Amino acid sequence: MGVEDTHGKWCDNPLDIHRVAVDYFENIFTSCNPTNISEIMGCVHRKVTTQHNEALLRKVSTEEIWVAVQSLHPTKSPGPDGYTGSFIHQFWDVIGPDINGMVKSFFHSGRLYKKINHTHIVWILKVGNPRKMTQWRPIALCNTVYKIISKILTLRLKKVLPSVVSSNQSAFIEDRLITDNILIVHEILHSLKSEIRAGSAGLAIKLDMAKAYDRVEWVFLDAMMRQLGFDPTFCQWIMECISTITYSILINGEATAPILPSRGLRQGDPLSPFLFLICAEGLSALLHRQEERGGLHGFQLCPHGLSISHLFFADDSVIFCRTDEHEVSGLKHILECYAQGSGQCINFEKSSIFFGQKCPARLKGKLVHILGVWQNEKFGKYLGLNADFGASKRAVFETVRSRIASKLLGWSEQYLSPAGKEVLIKAVAMAMPNYSMSCFKLPVSLCKEIERDIANFLWKGQKDHRGIHWVSWQRLCQFKKAGGLGFRDLLCFYLAMLEKIGWRILQNPESLLARLLHEKYYFEYDFMHVVCGRRVSWGWKGILQGRRILEASLRWRVENGECIRILPDRWLATQSISMVHSRHPDMPLMVSELIDLTLRSWNMELVDRCFNLLEAKCISTTPISRWGCPDK
């Protein structure tokens, strides 16, 4: 094992490796004395209410501690204390009272014993053959007692953050999904390429933040929490957890001397992701203020419609604005101001910019020079998936098939029993396309090739023998009770995932994704009745394909009946019959006209006259809301 130092010299002596590692982490974890914090704080508004602070500061109970203990993963690597979650669970009746006392003491005094907060850092490979320290990912291994305290604070903070963090941030917040960000970026890039938008040409900037967690300045985090309205006692608890930390680096199982940091959040601490969201809210506040002043114009489909100036998923950031020199210069000032205040280091050389179709080449050169970023003809990958689609959809998703094929090829070199092959196929090979299929529909030919590769691996004999396919793939995809092996039919599965997106649009019409799709594709209609038009995105085509399955399984639940049409809608509460087939001249148009508003019950005289016996019986047994709630 060896590593290069800052001068490019190769070091393989254990003492030299220790020196290089300690110097590297000391440099990262040393504060740069941030400036411009007051300028950022001037854009941040108070969002934490008195009720929120009461929930955050409530007295910790034994039951709350036990909930945090149960959430500890049983087999994850232990910290310096050597205790795993499994040990704590098994011997809680012995050590539980002592741990309860330590945890309650922290929440009472606000002080944390420093040895509890000592942390080991281990290195995880980021590339195949790492040479530099930047090619390793540091993971923090915390002590068990600290993890319990951190879990309690995290569980409390999670309930407050949806009201604190803006809707442009999708990471770690309840009811916000990573797939929403991918689909939003996909739709915006599709519009930029075809210029389906209001105003002038636009651009998208994908930012790269170097060591985002490790560079968070503690003074900035404390200022952000207080400006957002968190109670000083809660802020003290948080700052005690992150400022009393000491690190030791594990190299070949040997720990170095302790490092005393002055900034940074641990990657491995349950609390760190949520604290990073609070810091990122500072950049979001700067962008919103610039937008309010008219200095920044986000992506808009119509002059008075939804404006999206930025999308965040933790430290993965995309910013949208117009191709205007003054606007781009103002954006560069905002990014520099945020970097100076928060300690974040935006790597403009690794960031990229994507221009709309109508932007002149000369203007592109000027804007690239102002930002100092790399111009990319294609947007590339965002959150692990291609968001910019060309004419060939197969080329976009070919990496999915190639990754699965490489896995199967690696397994083929080992002798595996049929049962072992079945487990690997279900747990790994068939799970690898899940992420892609949760956002986009895959070409049918690509799904067939993936299934063919998996079938060849299953039936392949020793060495290079292809083997005989004794049973068809369709038979293998049946349940085991029906004689199959329970393999996943990829075509059916990706349709189900696309159906899930449609259901989310129906259930969360105020989400950014639903509002954007509404303005772009069905402004004058509702989601269930819009037709696929021309020049639509690949993502929207997939959503509409999943909607066909959604239509067949949706039913109305009758509350006041004002939104439900008697004839075309599905509202009868039986599996055998869901739609009305009777035709009668006295039949009203809406279900609400079948309800006696005084008694809040069915008008059975009208029901018996207009419907056949089976439908009338089904209607009579359908419950009605006594309070006149809207239909669902």
Side-chain angles (χ1 to χ4, degrees):
M1 176 183 175
V3 68
E4 286 184 2
D5 62 12
T6 54
H7 303 290
K9 181 182 177 182
W10 181 255
C11 303
D12 53 9
N13 184 282
L15 293 177
D16 292 335
I17 294 175
H18 279 231
R19 175 182 55 79
V20 172
V22 170
D23 290 345
Y24 174 77
F25 285 107
E26 282 185 342
N27 179 57
I28 287 181
F29 294 138
T30 301
S31 175
C32 62
N33 300 318
T35 58
N36 290 346
I37 291 181
S38 58
E39 184 176 348
I40 301 175
M41 294 305 112
C43 307
V44 179
H45 304 292
R46 182 184 180 94
K47 296 182 179 180
V48 182
T49 64
T50 304
Q51 291 76 16
H52 289 153
N53 278 321
E54 289 176 356
L56 292 172
L57 296 177
R58 69 179 184 274
K59 186 177 180 180
V60 67
S61 63
T62 305
E63 292 76 16
E64 190 176 10
I65 297 173
W66 174 238
V67 170
V69 169
Q70 287 181 307
S71 67
L72 295 175
H73 196 282
T75 58
K76 281 196 173 180
S77 300
D81 59 6
Y83 297 136
T84 62
S86 177
F87 175 85
I88 301 296
H89 296 160
Q90 187 173 355
F91 298 101
W92 182 251
D93 56 337
V94 178
I95 61 178
D98 291 332
I99 293 179
N100 281 332
M102 296 172 71
V103 173
K104 290 181 178 179
S105 174
F106 165 76
F107 282 97
H108 176 72
S109 65
R111 298 296 178 186
L112 190 63
Y113 186 46
K114 287 192 175 182
K115 285 191 175 181
I116 292 178
N117 212 2
H118 186 60
T119 304
H120 281 162
I121 293 180
V122 295
W123 303 356
I124 306 296
L125 295 172
K126 292 172 68 175
V127 296
N129 296 301
R131 296 182 59 86
K132 300 178 180 179
M133 288 298 301
T134 54
Q135 295 173 327
W136 298 85
R137 179 177 288 109
I139 301 297
L141 304 180
C142 306
N143 284 317
T144 304
V145 175
Y146 172 78
K147 278 188 178 180
I148 295 172
I149 294 172
S150 179
K151 288 275 187 180
I152 294 172
L153 292 171
T154 300
L155 292 173
R156 293 185 178 187
L157 192 57
K158 282 175 68 174
K159 297 178 181 178
V160 175
L161 279 184
S163 303
V164 174
V165 177
S166 64
S167 59
N168 301 80
Q169 174 69 260
S170 298
F172 313 116
I173 303 295
E174 189 177 3
D175 293 330
R176 302 183 195 178
L177 301 180
I178 188 173
T179 54
D180 284 10
N181 272 31
I182 297 171
L183 287 169
I184 291 172
V185 170
H186 172 68
E187 292 295 338
I188 293 177
L189 294 181
H190 172 263
S191 297
L192 288 177
K193 291 172 70 173
S194 54
E195 290 302 341
I196 310 173
R197 56 173 283 130
S200 61
L203 59 85
I205 305 168
K206 184 167 58 174
L207 298 178
D208 179 83
M209 294 190 181
K211 305 293 181 184
Y213 279 45
D214 300 331
R215 295 179 183 274
V216 170
E217 294 286 348
W218 295 342
V219 62
F220 175 76
L221 174 61
D222 185 47
M224 280 293 301
M225 293 186 67
R226 295 179 185 274
Q227 186 69 18
L228 287 168
F230 286 96
D231 190 274
T233 301
F234 186 79
C235 295
Q236 181 189 350
W237 290 347
I238 297 295
M239 297 309 297
E240 185 73 12
C241 286
I242 65 174
S243 62
T244 59
I245 182 176
T246 55
Y247 290 114
S248 287
I249 306 167
L250 286 181
I251 302 176
N252 296 328
E254 183 180 350
T256 64
I259 298 173
L260 301 177
S262 54
R263 70 173 179 182
L265 300 174
R266 287 171 281 198
Q267 297 189 51
D269 183 352
L271 196 58
S272 295
F274 302 95
L275 298 182
F276 185 82
L277 297 190
I278 294 175
C279 293
E281 193 62 18
L283 176 57
S284 184
L286 284 170
L287 293 170
H288 281 306
R289 184 186 67 171
Q290 186 77 348
E291 197 172 5
E292 290 170 0
R293 292 179 173 179
L296 181 68
H297 297 84
F299 173 83
Q300 277 186 300
L301 285 162
C302 53
H304 302 289
L306 174 68
S307 175
I308 302 177
S309 60
H310 59 283
L311 283 175
F312 296 161
F313 190 86
D315 58 332
D316 288 291
S317 309
V318 180
I319 300 177
F320 307 98
C321 67
R322 291 180 180 175
T323 51
D324 179 81
E325 292 184 49
H326 296 290
E327 190 162 317
V328 172
S329 298
L331 177 60
K332 180 69 176 290
H333 172 73
I334 288 175
L335 297 177
E336 291 176 345
C337 175
Y338 175 69
Q340 293 169 4
S342 65
Q344 298 295 293
C345 179
I346 300 174
N347 191 340
F348 288 101
E349 293 182 357
K350 289 188 177 180
S351 301
S352 60
I353 185 169
F354 178 88
F355 291 99
Q357 190 176 17
K358 293 183 180 180
C359 184
R362 186 176 180 181
L363 180 58
K364 289 181 182 179
K366 290 182 179 180
L367 300 181
V368 167
H369 178 72
I370 291 172
L371 288 171
V373 301
W374 176 55
Q375 180 182 347
N376 197 351
E377 294 298 327
K378 293 187 177 180
F379 189 79
K381 287 191 175 183
Y382 173 63
L383 299 176
L385 289 180
N386 283 298
D388 176 23
F389 285 22
S392 174
K393 306 305 181 293
R394 182 182 175 83
V396 173
F397 297 106
E398 182 62 31
T399 54
V400 177
R401 192 198 68 80
S402 61
R403 285 178 59 221
I404 296 174
S406 64
K407 284 284 186 183
L408 296 176
L409 183 63
W411 295 337
S412 298
E413 297 173 356
Q414 306 176 25
Y415 179 73
L416 296 172
S417 66
K421 290 183 177 181
E422 178 192 348
V423 171
L424 283 174
I425 288 171
K426 289 181 177 178
V428 182
M430 305 212 77
M432 290 175 73
N434 286 5
Y435 184 45
S436 300
M437 290 190 294
S438 64
C439 299
F440 306 108
K441 70 171 184 174
L442 271 62
V444 175
S445 60
L446 188 69
C447 293
K448 293 295 184 183
E449 285 191 18
I450 293 174
E451 291 175 347
R452 184 191 63 199
D453 291 343
I454 293 174
N456 289 338
F457 167 74
L458 178 67
W459 297 110
K460 185 176 181 179
Q462 297 183 27
K463 298 183 180 179
D464 295 329
H465 296 169
R466 181 176 179 272
I468 301 174
H469 293 226
W470 294 103
V471 181
S472 68
W473 180 256
Q474 289 73 21
R475 181 69 181 273
L476 293 176
C477 289
Q478 294 180 2
F479 292 117
K480 288 190 174 182
K481 292 182 179 179
L485 287 179
F487 288 146
R488 182 178 294 160
D489 187 324
L490 293 182
L491 294 176
C492 294
F493 184 76
Y494 87 64
L495 286 174
M497 299 295 279
L498 296 174
E499 179 189 12
K500 185 179 178 181
I501 299 175
W503 176 250
R504 177 168 169 77
I505 292 173
L506 288 176
Q507 294 296 103
N508 299 274
E510 295 302 317
S511 65
L512 277 180
L513 175 62
R515 292 165 63 192
L516 178 66
L517 293 175
H518 174 69
E519 288 190 2
K520 187 172 181 179
Y521 294 117
Y522 55 99
F523 188 78
E524 298 179 351
Y525 304 92
D526 63 273
F527 173 68
M528 296 305 298
H529 297 94
V530 65
V531 296
C532 184
R534 299 176 58 189
R535 299 176 66 188
V536 299
S537 69
W538 181 257
W540 178 244
K541 289 180 180 178
I543 293 172
L544 292 183
Q545 191 171 351
R547 188 192 62 178
R548 293 190 309 212
I549 303 175
L550 195 63
E551 289 173 341
S553 54
L554 280 177
R555 300 289 188 276
W556 278 99
R557 187 169 75 186
V558 180
E559 299 287 352
N560 57 19
E562 295 178 358
C563 299
I564 308 173
R565 297 168 297 177
I566 291 177
L567 286 179
D569 292 336
R570 299 174 182 268
W571 59 281
L572 298 181
T574 59
Q575 293 184 354
S576 59
I577 179 173
S578 61
M579 298 177 65
V580 171
H581 297 285
S582 301
R583 298 293 185 271
H584 193 278
D586 295 338
M587 184 179 292
L589 180 64
M590 306 300 292
V591 173
S592 58
E593 299 176 58
L594 299 175
I595 300 174
D596 188 328
L597 298 178
T598 305
L599 301 176
R600 298 301 305 171
S601 62
W602 295 106
N603 184 347
M604 291 310 301
E605 179 183 352
L606 180 59
V607 169
D608 291 336
R609 185 168 72 250
C610 298
F611 300 90
N612 60 44
L613 291 177
L614 182 61
E615 292 174 350
K617 182 179 179 181
C618 177
I619 293 171
S620 65
T621 57
T622 301
I624 304 173
S625 171
R626 293 181 176 274
W627 314 106
C629 300
D631 302 308
K632 296 182 180 179

